Amino acid sequence: TTEIYTLSLHDALPIFHPDNEECIASGGDDHTVRIWDLRDINPGSMQAKNSREKQLGMNLAHFTLKGHEGGVTQVQFTGDGQLLASASKDCQVRIWIPNLENPTLYAKFAAHEAWVKDIVWTGDQHHLYTASSDGMVFAWSVPRKFHAKLNAVEKKAMRTKK
């Protein structure tokens, strides 16, 4: 394998969009979520070449989503990529519409009394689970319009598992 380019992202583990491998979301101690579009860099460009030579890589243009009052500990797309959740040390979860032209905040809520360490969407997107530093786990319902659109075979498989 050959290194194509090096990017300077955030502290929280970056996550790829499930339907667009050119889109990455990350969160960090600067209280923001960032959405990156990898199509903004040409792998054969001088910019890409220079990024391989810099210790921290390059800071690719991105969307910065603000609002958290503590470091962002986790970001997670839904399985279909319609939503992006961010968890924070401010004890809140924010739900974003991760549109690469104009990402927006959809909802925010105080999820725990301690900082939120992890978030997980269920496969059917009916629930979002949050886990906090005090060991508590909560399940949150997701509006029906964001539920995963399952085909007949997937629906049958879901019923069989129950």
Side-chain angles (χ1 to χ4, degrees):
T1 60
T2 303
E3 179 183 358
I4 299 172
Y5 49 79
T6 303
L7 298 176
S8 176
L9 296 176
H10 259 125
D11 312 317
L13 185 65
I15 183 109
F16 283 90
H17 189 284
D19 290 333
N20 179 357
E21 63 187 29
E22 301 294 326
C23 176
I24 298 176
S26 66
D29 283 335
D30 64 355
H31 307 187
T32 68
V33 173
R34 295 183 185 174
I35 298 178
W36 314 80
D37 186 348
L38 298 181
R39 292 175 296 195
D40 289 344
I41 183 170
N42 178 344
S45 70
M46 188 58 107
Q47 184 184 27
K49 180 184 179 295
N50 291 341
S51 77
R52 294 189 301 268
E53 297 169 3
K54 293 181 181 178
Q55 184 175 356
L56 296 176
M58 73 172 143
N59 189 2
L60 186 64
H62 56 273
F63 290 100
T64 301
L65 310 179
K66 298 179 180 180
H68 281 294
E69 296 176 13
V72 176
T73 57
Q74 180 73 264
V75 292
Q76 195 67 248
F77 286 105
T78 54
D80 62 8
Q82 286 188 85
L83 299 174
L84 172 68
S86 58
S88 173
K89 293 179 181 179
D90 65 6
C91 308
Q92 292 193 358
V93 169
R94 290 177 182 261
I95 310 295
W96 310 90
I97 307 285
N99 180 312
L100 282 176
E101 293 176 14
N102 185 28
T104 56
L105 179 65
Y106 176 75
K108 64 180 179 176
F109 56 94
H112 292 270
E113 292 182 14
W115 62 277
V116 186
K117 292 175 49 172
D118 202 7
I119 46 180
V120 177
W121 298 95
T122 57
D124 60 11
Q125 298 174 193
H126 289 209
H127 298 96
L128 172 67
Y129 287 89
T130 60
S132 69
S133 59
D134 63 5
M136 300 296 292
V137 175
F138 294 131
W140 305 90
S141 63
V142 176
R144 183 178 300 272
K145 69 181 180 179
F146 295 114
H147 291 181
K149 311 297 186 263
L150 302 177
N151 64 37
V153 174
E154 292 169 325
K155 287 179 184 176
K156 184 176 181 181
M158 294 288 285
R159 284 194 301 269
T160 307
K161 289 181 183 179
K162 291 181 182 181

